[in-house]
Amino acid sequence: MFAAATTSGPTGGRRGRRLVAGLALLALLGAAGCSGSDDNNDNNNDNASGNNGGNGDGASSSTRDIEHALGVAEDVPAEPTRVVALDPYFSLPTAALGDVEIVGTSHLPFGDPHPPFVEAARVENTENVGWFTELDIAGIHALEPDLIVGVESFVEPVHDELSAIAPTVALPLDHAHWEETVRLAADAMGISEAVEVSLGDYATRAEELSARLADAGATEEPVTVLQFRSVEDIRIYTDHCSTRVLGDLGFTLHGADETPEGENALQVGAEQLTRADSSFVFYLLGAAGSNPEEAQAAFDIVSTQPLWERLGAVERGDTAVVSPDWWFNCGSPQANQLILDDVEATLLGE
């Protein structure tokens, strides 16, 4: 999905070559790109001006190669200063945990442009670079990033174009192994230390909450994570970031032993809804990036049908509607802390 590329700017020889590549790609090649032809001269000029990866003290602007979902990104700055975080699932929340400047990101197509768990101050000056179906390549180029990071579904279709602008790191779209993906993004952005603190805080709280849930007997029976997308598309998630969080809390997932190998959910229609029944059902309407009105309309239809009322969890009142903003878009410690909040409030009344 990805390849390594070079980006440009007024700072170093390698970045100068990236600028030339990016300008050539966008038919904007001009004489300005020629200034980065001599690595040694460029580096000397950078050190003299204090423009070295954003470090005013003239520290070394080292680079490294990073393996990612689409190959190897070469010449990734050790301390990127201008990052485009393409997706709202992994790259943007991860970037928000560090002190890296986020110059561009994708706005969600419905509702608020950014996930609610991303601090507003971290995105108030970022430019919208388009949704993954129509990324604004020229706009990304104009931002002069020194690093582009995003999940592979955003990057793969335009990998060559992005790589010509800046080193591009593609993140695997693997919600079940969200922590590994977050660590890859953090490594690329040079903010691993800050991100590890946040991951540690999540792990500590999950362990404490798990013990309390066990003491209350809440984890003795399987639970369900049920998503409504349409009347025909209802999913019982069994291996997703939200279910991994529940697993960290000691729960087992209903339907896990029925899920086909390589799949993360059982797909059912309204006529198969009883397959979702368990001791407790967490259900969400829609997904990040989808039209919430369509999901609500589907649930309104299904929830008035007899099969919904026949679910034991519904009869007992053991259900809770939860937000897809973090139960679906759960590829970050910030989102998953909100899942812990929901479970604690719902099952422990706290």
Side-chain angles (χ1 to χ4, degrees):
M1 287 190 176
F2 319 89
T6 38
T7 190
S8 77
T11 64
R14 284 175 174 162
R15 291 188 65 196
R17 291 197 301 271
R18 292 194 184 98
L19 177 56
V20 173
L23 293 172
L25 172 68
L26 296 173
L28 299 172
L29 183 60
C34 300
S35 63
S37 60
D38 188 316
D39 284 3
N40 293 330
N41 288 342
D42 282 354
N43 287 335
N44 289 338
N45 290 338
D46 285 344
N47 289 337
S49 65
N51 186 8
N52 225 344
N55 295 327
D57 59 2
S60 172
S61 57
S62 60
T63 62
R64 60 256 161 78
D65 296 346
I66 293 183
E67 292 187 23
H68 59 91
L70 296 178
V72 177
E74 298 176 351
D75 299 333
V76 176
E79 296 182 358
T81 59
R82 295 179 62 80
V83 172
V84 170
L86 288 177
D87 67 274
Y89 311 116
F90 294 101
S91 63
L92 176 60
T94 301
L97 291 172
D99 59 3
V100 65
E101 182 181 3
I102 309 166
V103 295
T105 189
S106 294
H107 286 190
L108 290 162
F110 298 96
D112 293 333
H114 306 296
F117 47 80
V118 171
E119 187 179 350
R122 295 292 286 120
V123 290
E124 63 182 356
N125 295 318
T126 62
E127 295 292 329
N128 180 16
V129 298
W131 194 234
F132 77 101
T133 53
E134 46 184 333
L135 287 176
D136 181 2
I137 301 300
I140 294 172
H141 182 275
L143 293 172
E144 297 185 340
D146 55 4
L147 177 67
I148 300 170
V149 183
V151 295
E152 53 188 312
S153 58
F154 279 63
V155 174
E156 185 174 24
V158 289
H159 178 252
D160 290 346
E161 293 94 327
L162 294 175
S163 303
I165 299 170
T168 300
V169 174
L171 307 174
L173 189 56
D174 185 356
H175 288 282
H177 299 91
W178 65 274
E179 290 161 306
E180 290 88 339
T181 303
V182 167
R183 287 189 169 102
L184 174 59
D187 181 34
M189 298 178 198
I191 57 173
S192 293
E193 185 174 348
V195 170
E196 285 299 331
V197 170
S198 187
L199 288 170
D201 290 343
Y202 162 79
T204 297
R205 185 181 173 207
E207 184 177 7
E208 293 173 348
L209 181 55
S210 175
R212 292 165 53 211
L213 289 165
D215 289 344
T219 57
E220 294 177 356
E221 298 293 335
V223 296
T224 300
V225 176
L226 185 65
Q227 182 195 44
F228 293 87
R229 295 194 176 201
S230 69
V231 174
E232 296 77 23
D233 188 358
I234 302 171
R235 305 183 186 190
I236 303 169
Y237 279 107
T238 58
D239 195 16
H240 181 258
C241 44
S242 59
T243 65
R244 288 298 178 104
V245 172
L246 294 177
D248 289 342
L249 295 177
F251 291 100
T252 56
L253 275 300
H254 176 73
D257 56 350
E258 303 175 47
T259 305
E261 185 176 356
E263 301 291 331
N264 69 352
L266 292 172
Q267 289 195 299
V268 299
E271 71 283 355
Q272 298 176 303
L273 200 57
T274 54
R275 294 178 64 187
D277 203 8
S278 70
S279 66
F280 198 95
V281 176
F282 297 96
Y283 65 95
L284 54 151
L285 309 183
S290 67
N291 188 336
E293 294 181 359
E294 293 178 0
Q296 181 65 59
F299 178 73
D300 289 344
I301 293 171
V302 172
S303 62
T304 60
Q305 296 179 357
L307 286 181
W308 174 254
E309 296 296 336
R310 291 177 191 166
L311 293 180
V314 173
E315 291 177 346
R316 297 189 305 272
D318 291 333
T319 66
V321 60
V322 292
S323 174
D325 288 342
W326 51 90
W327 279 74
F328 181 80
N329 185 10
C330 46
S332 67
Q334 303 102 301
N336 293 340
Q337 285 276 10
L338 294 178
I339 294 179
L340 299 185
D341 287 347
D342 288 343
V343 173
E344 183 176 36
T346 300
L347 299 183
L348 296 179
E350 301 177 14

